[in-house]
Short mmCIF file of all heavy atoms in Angstrom, two decimals:
data_model
loop_
_atom_site.label_atom_id
_atom_site.label_comp_id
_atom_site.label_asym_id
_atom_site.label_seq_id
_atom_site.Cartn_x
_atom_site.Cartn_y
_atom_site.Cartn_z
N GLY T 259 27.50 -9.44 7.72
CA GLY T 259 27.11 -9.94 9.04
C GLY T 259 28.00 -11.09 9.54
O GLY T 259 28.67 -11.74 8.79
N ALA T 260 27.97 -11.29 10.83
CA ALA T 260 28.81 -12.33 11.44
C ALA T 260 28.14 -12.93 12.69
O ALA T 260 27.26 -12.16 13.33
CB ALA T 260 30.23 -11.86 11.75
N PRO T 274 34.13 -10.53 18.49
CA PRO T 274 34.51 -11.14 17.23
C PRO T 274 33.62 -10.90 16.09
O PRO T 274 34.03 -10.64 14.94
CB PRO T 274 34.57 -12.62 17.51
CG PRO T 274 33.71 -12.74 18.73
CD PRO T 274 33.89 -11.55 19.51
N SER T 275 32.27 -10.79 16.30
CA SER T 275 31.36 -10.54 15.18
C SER T 275 31.53 -9.17 14.67
O SER T 275 31.54 -8.95 13.47
CB SER T 275 29.94 -10.79 15.68
OG SER T 275 29.78 -12.19 16.10
N TYR T 276 31.64 -8.20 15.55
CA TYR T 276 31.80 -6.79 15.05
C TYR T 276 33.19 -6.72 14.31
O TYR T 276 33.29 -6.11 13.28
CB TYR T 276 31.90 -5.89 16.25
CG TYR T 276 32.34 -4.45 15.89
CD1 TYR T 276 31.47 -3.60 15.31
CD2 TYR T 276 33.62 -4.02 16.16
CE1 TYR T 276 31.87 -2.28 14.98
CE2 TYR T 276 34.10 -2.78 15.82
CZ TYR T 276 33.23 -1.91 15.25
OH TYR T 276 33.64 -0.64 14.88
N GLN T 277 34.30 -7.31 14.85
CA GLN T 277 35.57 -7.25 14.18
C GLN T 277 35.57 -7.83 12.86
O GLN T 277 36.06 -7.36 11.92
CB GLN T 277 36.61 -7.89 15.05
CG GLN T 277 38.07 -7.70 14.60
CD GLN T 277 38.44 -6.26 14.63
OE1 GLN T 277 38.40 -5.53 15.61
NE2 GLN T 277 38.86 -5.74 13.50
N ALA T 278 34.80 -9.00 12.73
CA ALA T 278 34.78 -9.71 11.40
C ALA T 278 34.03 -8.77 10.38
O ALA T 278 34.46 -8.81 9.17
CB ALA T 278 34.04 -11.09 11.62
N VAL T 279 32.97 -8.17 10.82
CA VAL T 279 32.31 -7.29 9.80
C VAL T 279 33.06 -6.14 9.45
O VAL T 279 33.13 -5.69 8.22
CB VAL T 279 30.92 -6.75 10.50
CG1 VAL T 279 30.31 -5.74 9.64
CG2 VAL T 279 30.00 -7.93 10.66
N GLU T 280 33.94 -5.56 10.35
CA GLU T 280 34.84 -4.46 10.01
C GLU T 280 35.90 -4.93 8.98
O GLU T 280 36.33 -4.16 8.11
CB GLU T 280 35.38 -3.86 11.23
CG GLU T 280 34.38 -3.08 12.08
CD GLU T 280 33.69 -2.09 11.23
OE1 GLU T 280 34.27 -1.18 10.64
OE2 GLU T 280 32.39 -2.16 11.20
N TYR T 281 36.37 -6.12 9.26
CA TYR T 281 37.29 -6.66 8.19
C TYR T 281 36.78 -6.78 6.87
O TYR T 281 37.31 -6.40 5.87
CB TYR T 281 37.85 -8.06 8.65
CG TYR T 281 38.89 -8.03 9.72
CD1 TYR T 281 38.83 -8.96 10.87
CD2 TYR T 281 40.03 -7.23 9.74
CE1 TYR T 281 39.76 -8.87 11.82
CE2 TYR T 281 41.01 -7.15 10.75
CZ TYR T 281 40.79 -8.03 11.78
OH TYR T 281 41.77 -8.04 12.72
N MET T 282 35.44 -7.23 6.82
CA MET T 282 34.79 -7.37 5.52
C MET T 282 34.51 -6.04 4.86
O MET T 282 34.54 -5.83 3.70
CB MET T 282 33.47 -8.19 5.64
CG MET T 282 33.70 -9.61 5.96
SD MET T 282 32.19 -10.71 5.92
CE MET T 282 31.45 -10.15 7.42
N ARG T 283 34.24 -5.00 5.76
CA ARG T 283 34.10 -3.64 5.23
C ARG T 283 35.38 -3.12 4.50
O ARG T 283 35.19 -2.40 3.51
CB ARG T 283 33.79 -2.70 6.43
CG ARG T 283 33.49 -1.23 5.92
CD ARG T 283 33.44 -0.31 7.14
NE ARG T 283 32.54 -0.77 8.14
CZ ARG T 283 31.24 -0.69 8.15
NH1 ARG T 283 30.64 -0.17 7.03
NH2 ARG T 283 30.49 -1.15 9.11
N MET T 284 36.53 -3.62 4.98
CA MET T 284 37.75 -3.16 4.34
C MET T 284 38.06 -4.06 3.16
O MET T 284 39.11 -3.94 2.50
CB MET T 284 38.92 -3.30 5.37
CG MET T 284 38.75 -2.36 6.46
SD MET T 284 40.13 -2.31 7.67
CE MET T 284 39.98 -3.92 8.45
N GLY T 285 37.16 -4.92 2.74
CA GLY T 285 37.37 -5.79 1.59
C GLY T 285 37.88 -7.10 1.79
O GLY T 285 38.16 -7.89 0.85
N THR T 286 38.06 -7.57 3.06
CA THR T 286 38.61 -8.86 3.36
C THR T 286 37.55 -9.92 3.07
O THR T 286 36.34 -9.78 3.30
CB THR T 286 39.00 -8.91 4.87
OG1 THR T 286 39.91 -7.86 5.24
CG2 THR T 286 39.54 -10.23 5.26
N ASP T 287 38.03 -11.00 2.45
CA ASP T 287 37.15 -12.13 2.12
C ASP T 287 36.56 -12.68 3.48
O ASP T 287 37.14 -12.72 4.57
CB ASP T 287 38.02 -13.28 1.50
CG ASP T 287 37.22 -14.45 1.28
OD1 ASP T 287 36.51 -14.57 0.29
OD2 ASP T 287 37.39 -15.43 2.16
N PRO T 288 35.27 -13.09 3.37
CA PRO T 288 34.56 -13.54 4.62
C PRO T 288 35.31 -14.69 5.42
O PRO T 288 35.32 -14.61 6.55
CB PRO T 288 33.18 -14.02 4.18
CG PRO T 288 32.99 -13.19 2.91
CD PRO T 288 34.27 -13.04 2.30
N THR T 289 35.85 -15.69 4.64
CA THR T 289 36.57 -16.75 5.24
C THR T 289 37.78 -16.16 6.04
O THR T 289 38.02 -16.50 7.18
CB THR T 289 37.02 -17.81 4.28
OG1 THR T 289 35.87 -18.38 3.71
CG2 THR T 289 37.93 -18.85 4.95
N VAL T 290 38.52 -15.31 5.37
CA VAL T 290 39.76 -14.73 5.99
C VAL T 290 39.33 -13.91 7.11
O VAL T 290 39.98 -13.81 8.22
CB VAL T 290 40.57 -13.93 4.89
CG1 VAL T 290 41.66 -13.20 5.61
CG2 VAL T 290 40.97 -14.83 3.75
N ALA T 291 38.23 -13.15 7.09
CA ALA T 291 37.74 -12.30 8.20
C ALA T 291 37.48 -13.13 9.38
O ALA T 291 37.85 -12.81 10.49
CB ALA T 291 36.54 -11.49 7.78
N CYS T 292 36.82 -14.33 9.17
CA CYS T 292 36.52 -15.25 10.24
C CYS T 292 37.85 -15.73 10.88
O CYS T 292 38.02 -15.84 12.09
CB CYS T 292 35.67 -16.39 9.81
SG CYS T 292 33.96 -16.05 9.49
N GLN T 293 38.78 -16.13 10.07
CA GLN T 293 40.04 -16.66 10.52
C GLN T 293 40.86 -15.62 11.30
O GLN T 293 41.50 -15.94 12.29
CB GLN T 293 40.88 -17.07 9.29
CG GLN T 293 40.33 -18.33 8.54
CD GLN T 293 41.10 -18.65 7.36
OE1 GLN T 293 41.81 -17.84 6.76
NE2 GLN T 293 40.95 -19.92 6.86
N LYS T 294 40.76 -14.39 10.91
CA LYS T 294 41.54 -13.35 11.59
C LYS T 294 41.02 -13.08 13.05
O LYS T 294 41.76 -12.97 13.92
CB LYS T 294 41.48 -12.04 10.76
CG LYS T 294 42.36 -12.02 9.52
CD LYS T 294 42.02 -10.83 8.66
CE LYS T 294 42.52 -9.47 9.25
NZ LYS T 294 44.02 -9.41 9.05
N VAL T 295 39.67 -13.13 13.15
CA VAL T 295 39.11 -13.00 14.57
C VAL T 295 39.42 -14.17 15.44
O VAL T 295 39.65 -13.93 16.64
CB VAL T 295 37.61 -12.53 14.52
CG1 VAL T 295 37.42 -11.24 13.81
CG2 VAL T 295 36.81 -13.64 13.92
N ILE T 296 39.41 -15.33 14.90
CA ILE T 296 39.68 -16.50 15.64
C ILE T 296 41.11 -16.49 16.15
O ILE T 296 41.48 -16.83 17.30
CB ILE T 296 39.42 -17.84 14.80
CG1 ILE T 296 37.95 -18.09 14.70
CG2 ILE T 296 40.15 -19.09 15.51
CD1 ILE T 296 37.16 -18.31 15.92
N SER T 297 42.07 -16.05 15.21
CA SER T 297 43.51 -16.01 15.53
C SER T 297 43.78 -14.95 16.66
O SER T 297 44.61 -15.10 17.48
CB SER T 297 44.30 -15.65 14.24
OG SER T 297 44.16 -16.67 13.29
N ARG T 298 42.99 -13.91 16.52
CA ARG T 298 43.12 -12.80 17.54
C ARG T 298 42.85 -13.32 18.95
O ARG T 298 43.53 -13.10 19.91
CB ARG T 298 42.23 -11.63 17.14
CG ARG T 298 42.29 -10.48 18.21
CD ARG T 298 41.55 -9.27 17.56
NE ARG T 298 41.42 -8.18 18.52
CZ ARG T 298 40.24 -7.83 19.05
NH1 ARG T 298 39.13 -8.43 18.77
NH2 ARG T 298 40.20 -6.81 19.86
N VAL T 310 33.26 -18.97 14.17
CA VAL T 310 32.60 -17.79 13.65
C VAL T 310 32.08 -17.94 12.28
O VAL T 310 32.89 -18.58 11.50
CB VAL T 310 33.54 -16.49 13.75
CG1 VAL T 310 32.77 -15.26 13.21
CG2 VAL T 310 34.02 -16.25 15.15
N ILE T 311 30.97 -17.54 11.93
CA ILE T 311 30.50 -17.46 10.55
C ILE T 311 30.49 -16.10 10.07
O ILE T 311 30.13 -15.10 10.84
CB ILE T 311 29.16 -18.18 10.32
CG1 ILE T 311 28.03 -17.49 11.24
CG2 ILE T 311 29.25 -19.69 10.59
CD1 ILE T 311 26.69 -18.01 10.90
N CYS T 312 30.74 -15.80 8.75
CA CYS T 312 30.83 -14.48 8.21
C CYS T 312 30.17 -14.49 6.81
O CYS T 312 30.23 -15.42 6.03
CB CYS T 312 32.24 -14.02 8.05
SG CYS T 312 33.17 -13.99 9.62
N ALA T 313 29.45 -13.35 6.45
CA ALA T 313 28.93 -13.21 5.07
C ALA T 313 28.92 -11.77 4.71
O ALA T 313 28.60 -10.90 5.57
CB ALA T 313 27.48 -13.78 5.05
N ASN T 314 29.26 -11.42 3.49
CA ASN T 314 29.34 -10.02 2.99
C ASN T 314 28.08 -9.73 2.14
O ASN T 314 27.21 -10.67 1.90
CB ASN T 314 30.49 -9.64 2.28
CG ASN T 314 30.81 -10.43 1.05
OD1 ASN T 314 29.87 -10.83 0.36
ND2 ASN T 314 32.03 -10.48 0.66
N GLY T 320 31.73 -17.50 4.72
CA GLY T 320 32.89 -18.31 5.19
C GLY T 320 32.73 -18.57 6.66
O GLY T 320 31.75 -18.07 7.27
N ALA T 321 33.65 -19.37 7.22
CA ALA T 321 33.62 -19.71 8.51
C ALA T 321 35.04 -20.07 9.05
O ALA T 321 35.87 -20.43 8.19
CB ALA T 321 32.68 -20.87 8.92
N ALA T 322 35.26 -20.01 10.38
CA ALA T 322 36.49 -20.43 10.90
C ALA T 322 36.29 -20.94 12.34
O ALA T 322 35.41 -20.46 12.98
CB ALA T 322 37.57 -19.29 10.90
N ILE T 352 41.51 -23.92 12.43
CA ILE T 352 42.89 -23.43 12.28
C ILE T 352 43.64 -23.42 13.56
O ILE T 352 43.06 -23.55 14.64
CB ILE T 352 42.91 -21.96 11.63
CG1 ILE T 352 42.16 -21.07 12.56
CG2 ILE T 352 42.31 -22.04 10.34
CD1 ILE T 352 42.19 -19.62 12.15
#
Side-chain angles (χ1 to χ4, degrees):
S275 295
Y276 170 79
Q277 187 64 55
V279 170
E280 290 308 300
Y281 282 136
M282 289 187 289
R283 185 192 306 284
M284 295 185 289
T286 304
D287 174 80
T289 297
V290 176
C292 285
Q293 291 172 343
K294 286 167 74 76
V295 298
I296 290 293
S297 296
R298 179 169 172 249
V310 179
I311 56 172
C312 302
N314 65 24
I352 58 173

